[in-house]
């Protein structure tokens, strides 16, 4: 296993046996994907041009917000999950960067992959090499037995998840197809649950529901114990109906999970038949660190108060 570069000079992890992990790609040109984008995202050349123009005009009214308005790729990333409704995309951008200013402790020292690479070294967050049958990217988050709270804080874990999602959105196909998350809570303890205060939970929910420009297709909770179920019940009233409908609990019922995710994309420990070898978290950390400069550039965007503070 090693990190290589393809013909476009994009880095990827070569897992062997034909399996790779790559998070960067060019805009899709396949007619099938373009048809899906038109059908599901309202993405047509006319709508894209109109929405980009409208969003740029709206962003001009936010004189203290600094984002790369000249970048189609940046704006389209927000327009796609909003089905090219410029007003909704504008509101998402506003919320995302107001959150960055309001909740600085979640961003200040955890803005790049290097800053939280110890989380990846612990093997808590994974990309899977294959997409699901519907094209969705798959991400696994293990927050039970792999989470040593003396080494990884809840803020650092949140940052690692945020970085993984943001990195995956470098691929336009992931913007189109969305992301499915497997949330593995095997071995979750009371000490770990104690890390998740209402403030942390609120921040996560705000980011998922209002700030992050991704199509969250579903969350699949596995190996969930009674302790986790009680925790979920406490926070359930704060979860939107739309998000609740995307959360599924499987515990150890792998037949239930494989009815919703193609077993060919899942490792045997989740009832799947994926033949790709497992890789060390250290390798994912090495890979994501190659994107430090990209995340440094993202960190420069925001409201004037936040960007001025960072420039000191």
């Amino acid at each position: 296993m090693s990190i290589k570069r393809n013909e476009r000079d994009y880095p990827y992890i070569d897992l062997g046996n034909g399996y790779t992990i790559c998070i960067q790609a060019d805009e899709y040109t396949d007619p099938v994907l373009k048809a899906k984008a038109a059908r599901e995202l309202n993405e047509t050349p006319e709508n894209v041009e109109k929405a980009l123009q409208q969003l740029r005009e709206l962003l001009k009214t936010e004189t203290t917000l600094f984002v790369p308005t000249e970048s189609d790729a940046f704006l389209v990333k927000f327009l796609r999950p909003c089905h090219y409704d410029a007003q909704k995309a504008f509101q998402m951008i506003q919320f995302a960067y107001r959150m960055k200013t309001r909740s600085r402790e979640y961003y200040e020292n955890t803005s790049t992959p290097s800053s939280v690479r110890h989380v990846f070294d612990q093997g808590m967050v994974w990309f899977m090499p294959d997409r699901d049958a519907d094209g969705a990217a798959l991400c696994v988050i293990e927050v039970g037995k792999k989470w040593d709270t003396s080494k990884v804080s809840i803020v650092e874990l949140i940052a690692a998840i945020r970085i993984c999602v943001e990195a995956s959105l470098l691929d336009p196909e992931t913007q189109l197809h969305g992301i499915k998350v497997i949330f593995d809570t095997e071995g979750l303890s009371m000490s770990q649950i104690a890390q998740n205060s209402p403030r942390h939970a609120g921040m996560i929910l705000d980011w998922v529901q209002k700030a992050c420009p991704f199509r969250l297709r579903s969350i699949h909770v596995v190996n969930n114990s009674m302790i986790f179920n009680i925790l979920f019940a406490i926070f359930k009233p704060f979860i939107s109906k739309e998000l609740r409908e995307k959360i599924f609990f499987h515990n150890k019922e792998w037949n239930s999970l494989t009815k919703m995710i193609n077993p060919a994309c899942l490792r045997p420990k989740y009832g799947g038949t994926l033949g790709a070898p497992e890789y060390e978290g250290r390798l994912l950390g090495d890979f994501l660190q190659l994107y430090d400069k990209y995340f440094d550039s993202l960190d420069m965007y925001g409201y004037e108060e936040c960007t001025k503070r960072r420039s000191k």
Side-chain angles (χ1 to χ4, degrees), residues 213-275:
F214 73 135
R215 300 185 76 191
L216 177 61
R217 307 310 294 262
S218 54
I219 298 175
H220 301 271
V221 183
V222 300
N223 294 314
N224 47 297
S225 64
M226 183 63 69
I227 293 176
F228 178 84
N229 294 341
I230 292 172
L231 178 69
F232 179 81
I234 293 172
F235 291 110
K236 185 176 179 179
F238 304 100
I239 303 174
S240 68
K241 181 176 182 292
E242 180 183 5
L243 180 55
R244 287 200 304 270
E245 290 175 348
K246 295 178 180 179
I247 302 175
F248 303 92
F249 294 87
H250 303 282
N251 201 349
K252 298 181 185 295
E253 297 294 330
W254 307 130
N255 286 337
S256 171
L257 179 64
T258 55
K259 285 179 181 177
M260 306 188 75
I261 296 178
N262 185 350
C265 303
L266 296 170
R267 297 203 182 283
K269 71 177 183 178
Y270 297 131
T273 59
L274 180 68

Side-chain angles (χ1 to χ4, degrees), residues 100-162:
K100 207 175 156 185
T101 302
R102 185 180 69 244
S103 304
R104 291 176 182 173
E105 67 270 33
Y106 295 98
Y107 296 87
E108 280 191 318
N109 300 310
T110 57
S111 59
T112 64
S114 288
S115 66
V116 291
R117 75 149 299 147
H118 60 292
V119 183
F120 302 117
D121 288 346
Q122 294 291 312
M124 298 180 66
V125 187
W126 303 92
F127 290 122
M128 300 306 295
D130 287 350
R131 295 179 180 273
D132 200 0
D134 59 2
L138 297 173
C139 178
V140 179
I141 303 169
E142 299 189 52
V143 295
K145 59 187 180 181
K146 289 189 176 182
W147 185 9
D148 184 342
T149 56
S150 69
K151 296 180 179 178
V152 176
S153 71
I154 183 69
V155 170
E156 292 166 333
L157 175 58
I158 292 170
I161 295 169
R162 187 186 72 242

Side-chain angles (χ1 to χ4, degrees), residues 24 211 264:
Q24 191 171 0

Side-chain angles (χ1 to χ4, degrees), residues 100 107-108 299-300 305-312:
K100 207 175 156 185
Y107 296 87
E108 280 191 318
D299 199 38
M300 296 301 294
E305 177 187 1
C306 190
T307 55
K308 277 187 176 180
R309 177 182 55 80
R310 291 190 182 282
S311 65
K312 291 180 180 178

